[in-house]
Amino acid sequence: MRRPARLLLAGVLVLSPAAAGCGAAGSTAGTVVSGPTVTARADSQGLTAVRFDHSATHPEPAVPTVRVRRGTTVVLTVGSDVARRVLVPEQGRALDVSAGGTVTLRFLALGTFTVRVAEPGAVRGGTIIGRVEPWH
């Protein structure tokens, strides 16, 4: 089953889900369709806020990418309308999010990473709901 996502960046920029298509866009099986790319800026404290929202009821046809300045601290928030495990494999991080809840992770933007959601308790796999890429 495909798990969709919406991206909300720093409470200012909103990319709403477009009309749903067929196929496995955003899943770990088959080809993942690249979506919009936006650039996030650090706040006055040097923190770069990034948010991805997973929704089981609003399909997302493509995976959004957020570009952040390399070396800044990313404050990643992930929300979900259903209970899921949030995985950031490149960071070795996995947290459970409850239905209607959010989880927040902080780390340095030193490389590209993917944000995935999977069934609660999963340790790998899952559906990609967003990417974060550093730039110089």
Side-chain angles (χ1 to χ4, degrees), residues 28-43:
T28 57
T31 303
V32 176
V33 179
S34 293
T37 299
V38 295
T39 301
R41 302 280 182 216
D43 64 14

Side-chain angles (χ1 to χ4, degrees), residues 58-78:
H58 294 94
E60 182 71 33
V63 176
T65 299
V66 178
R67 295 182 63 211
V68 299
R69 182 165 294 284
R70 182 176 303 278
T72 60
T73 299
V74 173
V75 180
L76 172 68
T77 301
V78 179

Side-chain angles (χ1 to χ4, degrees), residues 40-65:
R41 302 280 182 216
D43 64 14
S44 62
Q45 298 174 347
L47 304 175
T48 304
V50 176
R51 181 175 174 132
F52 296 106
D53 285 302
H54 168 72
S55 173
T57 58
H58 294 94
E60 182 71 33
V63 176
T65 299

Side-chain angles (χ1 to χ4, degrees), residues 42 46-52 66 68-78 86-95 103-116 130-134:
L47 304 175
T48 304
V50 176
R51 181 175 174 132
F52 296 106
V66 178
V68 299
R69 182 165 294 284
R70 182 176 303 278
T72 60
T73 299
V74 173
V75 180
L76 172 68
T77 301
V78 179
V86 175
L87 303 166
V88 184
E90 299 83 359
Q91 294 287 324
R93 308 288 293 272
L95 292 171
V103 293
T104 302
L105 302 164
R106 283 182 179 217
F107 43 84
L108 291 177
L110 298 176
T112 299
F113 62 89
T114 56
V115 180
R116 300 169 181 254
R131 289 187 183 90
V132 177
E133 295 180 350

